[in-house]
């Protein structure tokens, strides 16, 4: 990255990646497909959008619309494919994925007291079709994988 931009600051970039990931997940929790499409590539958004569409079809929504905790993004790996550079980061998150009926708000899946601690592996690259005026940056998430889930009961 420093070859392309000598002023590139990796620490600041990790903070930016955390912000971008948080924006993506807030859109996911709120069933905001348009924002997911702005922040992630078609492949990166596919899994999240399919889950959102399933919730919408079943008239379900998440009880909680944001993460309980998010750690800073930590660099994991780089993939270099010709001129394309994709950077991978791990982000530790605590979330409660309790599904409720949109109409009567009854719990349909999960529990409001079941906290899941997990890691997300995300991959990010410079957006070949920048949307900086819409999202405030020129990066796109190309992969989101939820791993290492540990349930914590409260």
């Amino acid at each position: 990255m420093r070859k392309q931009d000598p002023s590139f600051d990796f620490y600041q970039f990790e903070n930016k990646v955390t912000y971008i990931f948080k924006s993506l997940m807030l859109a996911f929790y709120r069933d905001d497909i348009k924002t997911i499409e702005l922040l992630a590539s078609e492949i990166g958004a596919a899994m999240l959008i399919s889950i959102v569409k399933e919730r919408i079809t079943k008239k379900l929504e998440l009880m909680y619309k944001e993460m309980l905790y998010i750690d800073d993004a930590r660099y994991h790996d780089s993939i270099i494919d010709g001129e394309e550079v994709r950077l991978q980061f791990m982000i530790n998150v605590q979330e409660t994925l309790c599904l409720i009926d949109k109409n009567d708000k009854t719990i349909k899946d999960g529990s409001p007291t079941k906290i899941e601690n997990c890691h997300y592996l995300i991959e990010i690259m410079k957006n070949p079709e920048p949307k900086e005026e819409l999202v405030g940056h020129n990066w796109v998430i190309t992969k989101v994988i939820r791993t290492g889930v540990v349930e914590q009961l409260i």
Side-chain angles (χ1 to χ4, degrees):
M1 295 305 294
R2 285 198 178 110
K3 286 181 183 178
Q4 295 175 354
D5 180 2
S7 67
F8 182 78
D9 182 324
F10 208 80
Y11 177 74
Q12 286 180 348
F13 185 66
E14 285 180 327
N15 290 336
K16 182 177 279 193
V17 169
T18 303
Y19 170 79
I20 294 167
F21 173 74
K22 187 174 182 178
S23 299
L24 177 70
M25 294 308 291
L26 288 174
F28 171 71
Y29 297 146
R30 296 173 180 163
D31 298 339
D32 182 353
I33 292 172
K34 288 183 182 181
T35 300
I36 293 170
E37 290 172 336
L38 284 173
L39 295 171
S41 67
E42 186 176 337
I43 293 169
M47 183 217 27
L48 297 176
I49 290 173
S50 70
I51 294 169
V52 168
K53 285 182 176 180
E54 182 179 355
R55 285 197 305 244
I56 291 169
T57 300
K58 293 180 177 181
K59 295 182 177 35
L60 299 174
E61 65 183 351
L62 288 168
M63 178 181 276
Y64 301 108
K65 307 289 192 226
E66 54 189 63
M67 293 169 260
L68 300 172
Y69 172 80
I70 179 170
D71 205 355
D72 293 333
R74 296 289 175 234
Y75 174 76
H76 179 70
D77 201 1
S78 298
I79 294 108
I80 301 170
D81 185 10
E83 293 295 311
E84 185 179 274
V85 177
R86 297 184 313 274
L87 302 171
Q88 293 183 338
F89 293 85
M90 294 296 290
I91 302 177
N92 182 46
V93 171
Q94 288 181 343
E95 55 193 356
T96 301
L97 301 176
C98 180
L99 288 172
I100 59 173
D101 184 279
K102 277 192 175 191
N103 298 318
D104 65 15
K105 306 299 182 197
T106 57
I107 295 172
K108 298 298 180 183
D109 188 38
S111 166
T113 60
K114 184 175 114 181
I115 297 172
E116 295 180 341
N117 188 63
C118 63
H119 292 88
Y120 281 91
L121 170 71
I122 66 162
E123 190 173 275
I124 193 165
M125 65 179 266
K126 285 229 179 201
N127 194 338
E129 300 169 11
K131 300 172 185 168
E132 193 164 355
E133 68 285 349
L134 296 172
V135 296
H137 56 81
N138 60 353
W139 296 92
V140 63
I141 293 177
T142 56
K143 184 185 290 184
V144 178
I145 300 172
R146 188 172 189 248
T147 65
V149 178
V150 176
E151 293 180 14
Q152 301 173 330
L153 298 177
I154 57 171

